[in-house]
Amino acid sequence: DAGVIQSPRHEVTEMGQEVTLRCKPISGHNSLFWYRQTMMRGLELLIYFNNNVPIDDSGMPEDRFSAKMPNASFSTLKIQPSEPRDSAVYFCASSRDRVGGYTFGSGTRLTVV
Amino acid sequence: QKEVEQNSGPLSVPEGAIASLNCTYSDRGSQSFFWYRQYSGKSPELIMSIYSNGDKEDGRFTAQLNKASQYVSLLIRDSQPSDSATYLCAVSRGAQKLVFGQGTRLTINP
């Protein structure tokens, strides 16, 4: 099992640019979560999907953030336009049926300059 | 009040001793409790889960849950330098999202 796969591992972009983060969950897992981690705020849930349907997006900071899950094996998190305060590590995690512990991907370290 | 609270540390423990990590939560309806370990620059890794009051042991790790006191703890026996990491407590109510604490940074001194 390859685990949860995220890309890119690192992203440096200029303020105002569009950023797209990608995630492939573990095969057979039907819940997918996007988290953001910063020193100040810790791990924050942005949005999660169950069976490809967004269930709770209350953690999405503002309209600049959007997420999609077009099929069971792929999800994207898009930030447009990006701002320096979006700099953080973004983790994708997946689980079977939302219950139990999650498996995290390696994360994407985003730096917006 | 934060939903899940942990002492941020750093907690320093000599090698071979017992490390004790604590977590409190505010939602009395919480049903599932987890401990994750996160090494610097890495992603969180699940190490323990507990769902009912009492103790649950797995190797050198013991998770303890007291729902009446809304308290979860993790004990690490015979601490090793490789246990040095940040430990995250996570709590959920039923089939809902996990809420994480800020984490406790643990350092094991050789």
Side-chain angles (χ1 to χ4, degrees), chain B residues 67-105:
Chain B
K67 290 185 178 180
S69 300
Q70 296 175 243
Y71 178 89
V72 192
S73 65
L74 179 70
L75 301 178
I76 307 174
R77 290 182 300 281
D78 188 22
S79 298
Q80 303 296 311
S82 59
D83 295 325
S84 298
T86 295
Y87 289 81
L88 300 163
C89 174
V91 175
S92 74
R93 172 196 276 262
Q96 295 187 19
K97 62 185 182 184
L98 274 185
V99 178
F100 284 83
Q102 286 279 83
T104 298
R105 188 154 54 95

Short mmCIF file of all heavy atoms in Angstrom, two decimals, chain B residues 67-105:
data_model
loop_
_atom_site.label_atom_id
_atom_site.label_comp_id
_atom_site.label_asym_id
_atom_site.label_seq_id
_atom_site.Cartn_x
_atom_site.Cartn_y
_atom_site.Cartn_z
N LYS B 67 -13.62 9.34 31.00
CA LYS B 67 -14.65 10.19 30.39
C LYS B 67 -15.30 11.11 31.41
O LYS B 67 -15.71 12.22 31.07
CB LYS B 67 -15.69 9.34 29.68
CG LYS B 67 -15.18 8.66 28.42
CD LYS B 67 -16.30 7.93 27.69
CE LYS B 67 -15.80 7.30 26.40
NZ LYS B 67 -16.87 6.59 25.67
N ALA B 68 -15.43 10.67 32.64
CA ALA B 68 -16.05 11.52 33.66
C ALA B 68 -15.23 12.79 33.88
O ALA B 68 -15.78 13.88 34.06
CB ALA B 68 -16.20 10.75 34.96
N SER B 69 -13.93 12.65 33.83
CA SER B 69 -13.04 13.79 34.01
C SER B 69 -12.64 14.43 32.69
O SER B 69 -11.92 15.44 32.69
CB SER B 69 -11.78 13.35 34.77
OG SER B 69 -12.11 12.83 36.04
N GLN B 70 -13.09 13.82 31.58
CA GLN B 70 -12.78 14.35 30.24
C GLN B 70 -11.27 14.47 30.06
O GLN B 70 -10.74 15.53 29.70
CB GLN B 70 -13.51 15.68 30.01
CG GLN B 70 -15.01 15.50 30.00
CD GLN B 70 -15.77 16.81 29.89
OE1 GLN B 70 -16.51 17.19 30.78
NE2 GLN B 70 -15.57 17.50 28.80
N TYR B 71 -10.62 13.36 30.30
CA TYR B 71 -9.16 13.34 30.40
C TYR B 71 -8.63 12.09 29.69
O TYR B 71 -9.14 10.99 29.86
CB TYR B 71 -8.82 13.30 31.89
CG TYR B 71 -7.36 13.24 32.25
CD1 TYR B 71 -6.63 14.41 32.41
CD2 TYR B 71 -6.74 12.02 32.47
CE1 TYR B 71 -5.30 14.36 32.78
CE2 TYR B 71 -5.40 11.96 32.84
CZ TYR B 71 -4.70 13.14 33.01
OH TYR B 71 -3.38 13.09 33.37
N VAL B 72 -7.59 12.33 28.86
CA VAL B 72 -6.91 11.23 28.17
C VAL B 72 -5.43 11.39 28.42
O VAL B 72 -4.92 12.53 28.43
CB VAL B 72 -7.15 11.30 26.65
CG1 VAL B 72 -6.71 10.01 25.98
CG2 VAL B 72 -8.59 11.60 26.32
N SER B 73 -4.74 10.29 28.61
CA SER B 73 -3.30 10.39 28.80
C SER B 73 -2.59 9.29 28.01
O SER B 73 -3.20 8.29 27.61
CB SER B 73 -2.94 10.29 30.29
OG SER B 73 -3.26 9.02 30.79
N LEU B 74 -1.31 9.52 27.81
CA LEU B 74 -0.45 8.54 27.14
C LEU B 74 0.79 8.38 27.98
O LEU B 74 1.46 9.37 28.31
CB LEU B 74 -0.08 9.02 25.73
CG LEU B 74 0.85 8.09 24.94
CD1 LEU B 74 0.10 6.82 24.53
CD2 LEU B 74 1.41 8.79 23.71
N LEU B 75 1.08 7.13 28.34
CA LEU B 75 2.29 6.81 29.07
C LEU B 75 3.24 6.08 28.13
O LEU B 75 2.83 5.16 27.41
CB LEU B 75 1.99 5.93 30.28
CG LEU B 75 1.03 6.50 31.33
CD1 LEU B 75 0.80 5.48 32.44
CD2 LEU B 75 1.54 7.80 31.89
N ILE B 76 4.49 6.48 28.17
CA ILE B 76 5.53 5.80 27.39
C ILE B 76 6.54 5.26 28.39
O ILE B 76 7.24 6.03 29.07
CB ILE B 76 6.22 6.74 26.39
CG1 ILE B 76 5.19 7.45 25.50
CG2 ILE B 76 7.22 5.96 25.53
CD1 ILE B 76 5.79 8.51 24.58
N ARG B 77 6.61 3.93 28.49
CA ARG B 77 7.56 3.30 29.42
C ARG B 77 8.91 3.11 28.75
O ARG B 77 9.00 3.01 27.52
CB ARG B 77 7.02 1.94 29.87
CG ARG B 77 5.82 2.03 30.78
CD ARG B 77 5.38 0.63 31.22
NE ARG B 77 5.02 -0.21 30.07
CZ ARG B 77 3.86 -0.12 29.44
NH1 ARG B 77 2.96 0.74 29.83
NH2 ARG B 77 3.62 -0.92 28.42
N ASP B 78 9.96 3.06 29.57
CA ASP B 78 11.31 2.83 29.06
C ASP B 78 11.58 3.77 27.87
O ASP B 78 11.91 3.33 26.76
CB ASP B 78 11.48 1.37 28.63
CG ASP B 78 12.91 1.01 28.27
OD1 ASP B 78 13.83 1.72 28.71
OD2 ASP B 78 13.10 0.05 27.50
N SER B 79 11.42 5.06 28.12
CA SER B 79 11.56 6.05 27.04
C SER B 79 12.90 5.95 26.34
O SER B 79 13.95 5.76 26.98
CB SER B 79 11.40 7.46 27.64
OG SER B 79 10.12 7.63 28.20
N GLN B 80 12.84 6.09 25.02
CA GLN B 80 14.03 6.02 24.19
C GLN B 80 14.22 7.36 23.47
O GLN B 80 13.25 8.07 23.21
CB GLN B 80 13.88 4.92 23.14
CG GLN B 80 13.62 3.54 23.73
CD GLN B 80 14.79 3.06 24.57
OE1 GLN B 80 15.94 3.11 24.12
NE2 GLN B 80 14.52 2.62 25.78
N PRO B 81 15.45 7.69 23.11
CA PRO B 81 15.66 8.94 22.35
C PRO B 81 14.81 9.01 21.09
O PRO B 81 14.38 10.10 20.68
CB PRO B 81 17.16 8.89 22.02
CG PRO B 81 17.76 8.13 23.15
CD PRO B 81 16.74 7.06 23.49
N SER B 82 14.50 7.85 20.49
CA SER B 82 13.67 7.84 19.29
C SER B 82 12.21 8.22 19.57
O SER B 82 11.43 8.44 18.64
CB SER B 82 13.70 6.46 18.63
OG SER B 82 13.23 5.48 19.54
N ASP B 83 11.84 8.30 20.85
CA ASP B 83 10.49 8.75 21.22
C ASP B 83 10.38 10.28 21.21
O ASP B 83 9.28 10.83 21.37
CB ASP B 83 10.10 8.24 22.61
CG ASP B 83 10.00 6.72 22.67
OD1 ASP B 83 9.57 6.10 21.67
OD2 ASP B 83 10.35 6.15 23.73
N SER B 84 11.49 10.96 21.06
CA SER B 84 11.47 12.43 21.02
C SER B 84 10.69 12.89 19.79
O SER B 84 11.07 12.59 18.65
CB SER B 84 12.90 12.98 20.97
OG SER B 84 13.61 12.63 22.13
N ALA B 85 9.60 13.59 20.04
CA ALA B 85 8.69 14.00 18.97
C ALA B 85 7.61 14.89 19.60
O ALA B 85 7.60 15.10 20.81
CB ALA B 85 8.03 12.79 18.30
N THR B 86 6.71 15.36 18.77
CA THR B 86 5.52 16.04 19.28
C THR B 86 4.36 15.04 19.27
O THR B 86 4.15 14.33 18.27
CB THR B 86 5.16 17.26 18.41
OG1 THR B 86 6.20 18.23 18.51
CG2 THR B 86 3.85 17.90 18.87
N TYR B 87 3.63 14.98 20.38
CA TYR B 87 2.52 14.03 20.52
C TYR B 87 1.21 14.81 20.49
O TYR B 87 1.00 15.73 21.28
CB TYR B 87 2.67 13.22 21.80
CG TYR B 87 3.82 12.24 21.68
CD1 TYR B 87 5.13 12.65 21.87
CD2 TYR B 87 3.58 10.90 21.32
CE1 TYR B 87 6.18 11.77 21.72
CE2 TYR B 87 4.64 10.02 21.17
CZ TYR B 87 5.93 10.47 21.36
OH TYR B 87 6.98 9.58 21.20
N LEU B 88 0.36 14.43 19.57
CA LEU B 88 -0.91 15.10 19.34
C LEU B 88 -2.06 14.24 19.85
O LEU B 88 -2.17 13.06 19.51
CB LEU B 88 -1.12 15.36 17.85
CG LEU B 88 -0.07 16.22 17.16
CD1 LEU B 88 -0.16 16.05 15.64
CD2 LEU B 88 -0.27 17.68 17.52
N CYS B 89 -2.90 14.84 20.65
CA CYS B 89 -4.13 14.20 21.11
C CYS B 89 -5.25 14.60 20.15
O CYS B 89 -5.33 15.76 19.74
CB CYS B 89 -4.43 14.69 22.53
SG CYS B 89 -6.00 14.15 23.23
N ALA B 90 -6.09 13.65 19.78
CA ALA B 90 -7.19 13.95 18.85
C ALA B 90 -8.47 13.28 19.37
O ALA B 90 -8.44 12.16 19.88
CB ALA B 90 -6.87 13.46 17.45
N VAL B 91 -9.58 13.97 19.21
CA VAL B 91 -10.85 13.54 19.78
C VAL B 91 -11.95 13.70 18.74
O VAL B 91 -11.94 14.66 17.96
CB VAL B 91 -11.19 14.42 21.01
CG1 VAL B 91 -12.55 14.10 21.57
CG2 VAL B 91 -10.11 14.27 22.08
N SER B 92 -12.89 12.75 18.71
CA SER B 92 -14.03 12.93 17.81
C SER B 92 -15.31 12.44 18.49
O SER B 92 -15.29 11.60 19.38
CB SER B 92 -13.83 12.18 16.49
OG SER B 92 -13.98 10.79 16.68
N ARG B 93 -16.42 13.00 18.01
CA ARG B 93 -17.75 12.58 18.49
C ARG B 93 -18.35 11.74 17.38
O ARG B 93 -18.69 12.26 16.33
CB ARG B 93 -18.61 13.82 18.75
CG ARG B 93 -20.05 13.49 19.05
CD ARG B 93 -20.93 14.73 18.91
NE ARG B 93 -20.93 15.54 20.12
CZ ARG B 93 -21.89 15.48 21.05
NH1 ARG B 93 -22.88 14.63 20.92
NH2 ARG B 93 -21.85 16.26 22.10
N GLY B 94 -18.45 10.45 17.61
CA GLY B 94 -19.04 9.58 16.61
C GLY B 94 -18.29 9.63 15.30
O GLY B 94 -17.08 9.77 15.26
N ALA B 95 -19.03 9.53 14.22
CA ALA B 95 -18.42 9.52 12.89
C ALA B 95 -18.25 10.94 12.38
O ALA B 95 -18.74 11.29 11.32
CB ALA B 95 -19.28 8.70 11.94
N GLN B 96 -17.56 11.73 13.14
CA GLN B 96 -17.34 13.11 12.74
C GLN B 96 -15.87 13.43 12.78
O GLN B 96 -15.04 12.61 13.10
CB GLN B 96 -18.13 14.06 13.65
CG GLN B 96 -19.63 13.88 13.52
CD GLN B 96 -20.41 14.91 14.30
OE1 GLN B 96 -19.88 15.96 14.66
NE2 GLN B 96 -21.67 14.63 14.55
N LYS B 97 -15.57 14.65 12.47
CA LYS B 97 -14.19 15.06 12.28
C LYS B 97 -13.38 14.93 13.56
O LYS B 97 -13.88 15.07 14.67
CB LYS B 97 -14.14 16.49 11.81
CG LYS B 97 -14.72 17.48 12.81
CD LYS B 97 -14.77 18.88 12.25
CE LYS B 97 -15.31 19.87 13.28
NZ LYS B 97 -15.45 21.22 12.71
N LEU B 98 -12.09 14.65 13.37
CA LEU B 98 -11.15 14.65 14.47
C LEU B 98 -10.74 16.08 14.78
O LEU B 98 -10.43 16.85 13.86
CB LEU B 98 -9.89 13.86 14.10
CG LEU B 98 -9.85 12.36 14.29
CD1 LEU B 98 -8.48 11.82 13.96
CD2 LEU B 98 -10.25 11.97 15.69
N VAL B 99 -10.71 16.41 16.08
CA VAL B 99 -10.20 17.71 16.51
C VAL B 99 -8.89 17.44 17.25
O VAL B 99 -8.85 16.62 18.16
CB VAL B 99 -11.19 18.43 17.43
CG1 VAL B 99 -10.60 19.75 17.90
CG2 VAL B 99 -12.51 18.67 16.70
N PHE B 100 -7.85 18.14 16.85
CA PHE B 100 -6.53 17.91 17.41
C PHE B 100 -6.17 18.97 18.45
O PHE B 100 -6.56 20.14 18.32
CB PHE B 100 -5.47 17.96 16.30
CG PHE B 100 -5.43 16.74 15.43
CD1 PHE B 100 -6.31 16.60 14.37
CD2 PHE B 100 -4.51 15.74 15.68
CE1 PHE B 100 -6.28 15.46 13.58
CE2 PHE B 100 -4.47 14.60 14.89
CZ PHE B 100 -5.36 14.47 13.84
N GLY B 101 -5.41 18.55 19.45
CA GLY B 101 -4.79 19.50 20.34
C GLY B 101 -3.56 20.09 19.69
O GLY B 101 -3.16 19.68 18.59
N GLN B 102 -2.95 21.05 20.37
CA GLN B 102 -1.77 21.73 19.83
C GLN B 102 -0.53 20.85 19.86
O GLN B 102 0.45 21.14 19.19
CB GLN B 102 -1.50 23.01 20.62
CG GLN B 102 -2.47 24.14 20.33
CD GLN B 102 -2.11 24.90 19.07
OE1 GLN B 102 -2.47 24.48 17.96
NE2 GLN B 102 -1.42 26.00 19.21
N GLY B 103 -0.57 19.80 20.66
CA GLY B 103 0.57 18.90 20.75
C GLY B 103 1.50 19.23 21.90
O GLY B 103 1.61 20.38 22.32
N THR B 104 2.16 18.18 22.40
CA THR B 104 3.18 18.31 23.45
C THR B 104 4.51 17.86 22.89
O THR B 104 4.62 16.73 22.37
CB THR B 104 2.84 17.46 24.69
OG1 THR B 104 1.62 17.90 25.26
CG2 THR B 104 3.96 17.56 25.72
N ARG B 105 5.48 18.73 22.96
CA ARG B 105 6.82 18.38 22.47
C ARG B 105 7.56 17.62 23.56
O ARG B 105 7.73 18.12 24.66
CB ARG B 105 7.57 19.62 22.06
CG ARG B 105 8.91 19.36 21.35
CD ARG B 105 9.28 20.51 20.45
NE ARG B 105 9.27 21.79 21.15
CZ ARG B 105 10.34 22.36 21.69
NH1 ARG B 105 11.50 21.75 21.63
NH2 ARG B 105 10.26 23.53 22.28
#
